[in-house]
Amino acid sequence: MNEFELIQTYFRRDPLDPSVILGNGDDAAVVAQGSGIQTVLSVDSVIAGRHVPEMCPPDGFAARLMGRGLSDLAAMGAEPKYVLLSLTLPTLQPGWVDHFASRFHQLCVRFGVDLIGGDTTKGPLSAHLTVIGHVPEGGALTRQGLKAGDDLWLFGPDLGGARAYLDVLDGHQDDQALWAERYWRPEPQLEAGQSLRGIAHTLIDISDGLCQDLTHLIEKASNPLTVKLRSKSLPLCNELNDRYGRDVALQYALTGGDDYCLLASIAKGVNVPAGGHRIGMVVDAMTDQILLDDEPLPASWTLGWDHSR
Ligand code: ADP
Ligand code: MG
């Protein structure tokens, strides 16, 4: 059983309260609160030894925690408002905590969120960030609604750098400043997400790998679809091609994960906010499929990150 089957089997239940507009299964949940605003909520974990190295710098720990969390709000088109921080620390190292906290608060100011609660415990280094945001009533963008005739658009800097940085951490590649930046300081695409309200049919953030996250959009569509991706249009992170060659560079960009770009489907011909890359199109088909330059994806690729592996 993989991560997604496990969640579907054990933790997906119909909501009891009619105020739940969207329960689990998307980037975040949406609940009604009256007054023309809906609340958007999500929680994400960062575990040392799993999502970050065991010996994790405080600055990077804070930035990855915040970036990953807020990216789920971006993927709903929401404006971030509040966060709750549950933090587990092995020992109280004042220097580490001091650096972590100052970076965390800096990011709160930068993204306009208030830290309104949390929990602090002792144990292996990990943190869970609950993020809470707002959208205008009915304005949340979800994973449901992919259609033939849509184009696929990517918002965010580029792909594959965070995956390549894992090779640096493993000692298999020389350091590359931009890969480190992509890994340690993911930029939640909040403005892009909000600018896509009323424009995108579907929206998701690329956390597990573009193709795997794209599969979530395809699975929620009402009929079978083929998505045609064009390799030439994919924004690859600097030096990926030079260091790895085209095939691995594309594999990292399409399956690596941790990119925190937004993937939107938008009807052809619609005015699209600036900054997007048009990376493919959606057509009707007999079976669900992703094609890259009209070919099936290489069979050797694992589509993306599965946390149960
Ligand atoms: P993301 O990558 O966008 O953070 P995930 O892949 O972690 O999303 O989760 C997929 C969906 O499953 C989300 O809607 C999340 O809220 C839900 N989910 C994950 N774990 C649980 C759980 N233990 N109980 C209830 N819902 C869960
Ligand atoms: Mg997400």
Side-chain angles (χ1 to χ4, degrees):
M1 188 183 275
N2 69 25
E3 175 200 348
F4 305 104
E5 290 159 348
L6 184 144
I7 297 167
Q8 185 66 26
T9 308
Y10 293 108
F11 300 114
R12 188 127 167 83
R13 295 290 179 271
D14 290 331
L16 304 174
D17 196 280
S19 66
V20 179
I21 309 292
L22 182 68
N24 63 1
D26 217 294
D27 289 295
V30 181
V31 297
Q33 65 164 53
S35 69
I37 296 281
Q38 290 175 339
T39 302
V40 180
L41 308 104
S42 169
V43 63
D44 252 301
S45 320
V46 174
I47 315 277
R50 186 74 184 148
H51 304 109
V52 290
E54 231 34 274
M55 302 298 290
C56 180
D59 181 85
F61 194 71
R64 262 177 79 81
L65 182 67
M66 190 67 93
R68 283 164 60 95
L70 293 184
S71 180
D72 276 329
L73 291 185
M76 303 301 289
E79 178 194 352
K81 300 296 278 185
Y82 319 103
V83 292
L84 297 146
L85 170 65
S86 168
L87 185 61
T88 303
L89 296 168
T91 48
L92 193 67
Q93 285 179 302
W96 197 98
V97 181
D98 192 51
H99 280 108
F100 170 80
S102 51
R103 183 75 181 129
F104 188 88
H105 290 302
Q106 244 178 32
L107 291 167
C108 285
V109 171
R110 183 167 156 222
F111 293 118
V113 289
D114 285 310
L115 174 63
I116 56 166
D119 193 27
T120 305
T121 49
K122 190 170 174 176
L125 178 64
S126 64
H128 306 270
L129 189 72
T130 302
V131 294
I132 302 168
H134 286 165
V135 282
E137 204 171 307
L141 292 164
T142 71
R143 298 177 178 185
Q144 187 150 21
L146 190 69
K147 296 186 189 38
D150 284 354
D151 282 331
L152 278 187
W153 289 81
L154 193 75
F155 291 83
D158 46 47
L159 298 165
R163 171 62 187 85
Y165 189 69
L166 294 183
D167 295 338
V168 176
L169 288 174
D170 282 348
H172 295 131
Q173 270 288 346
D174 292 335
D175 209 349
Q176 214 290 3
L178 193 62
W179 299 351
E181 173 92 10
R182 294 287 180 263
Y183 180 85
W184 286 117
R185 280 180 277 285
E187 273 292 313
Q189 301 295 309
L190 290 157
E191 280 174 21
Q194 290 164 47
S195 73
L196 289 165
R197 289 199 298 243
I199 292 176
H201 286 153
T202 60
L203 191 63
I204 191 168
D205 70 327
I206 311 295
S207 52
D208 293 339
L210 192 148
C211 285
Q212 180 155 302
D213 290 314
L214 175 55
T215 303
H216 296 315
L217 302 183
I218 296 173
E219 282 167 355
K220 283 186 186 267
S222 52
N223 60 294
L225 295 170
T226 287
V227 172
K228 298 178 161 199
L229 299 174
R230 278 184 315 233
S231 63
K232 274 208 308 228
S233 318
L234 293 168
L236 300 184
C237 195
N238 269 10
E239 281 194 37
L240 273 191
N241 258 327
D242 294 350
R243 298 260 200 112
Y244 289 97
R246 184 82 180 148
D247 290 352
V248 174
L250 281 176
Q251 182 179 2
Y252 279 16
L254 288 172
T255 68
D258 269 342
D259 302 297
Y260 301 102
C261 294
L262 293 180
L263 181 64
S265 68
I266 303 175
K268 207 176 283 303
V270 164
N271 240 345
V272 175
H277 304 265
R278 187 154 61 94
I279 62 163
M281 60 192 283
V282 185
V283 296
D284 278 320
M286 301 299 281
T287 53
D288 290 340
Q289 205 178 8
I290 300 173
L291 299 177
L292 178 61
D293 301 329
D294 298 315
E295 299 286 337
L297 299 175
S300 59
W301 286 10
T302 305
L303 274 207
W305 184 253
D306 171 357
H307 299 268
S308 61
R309 277 200 297 266

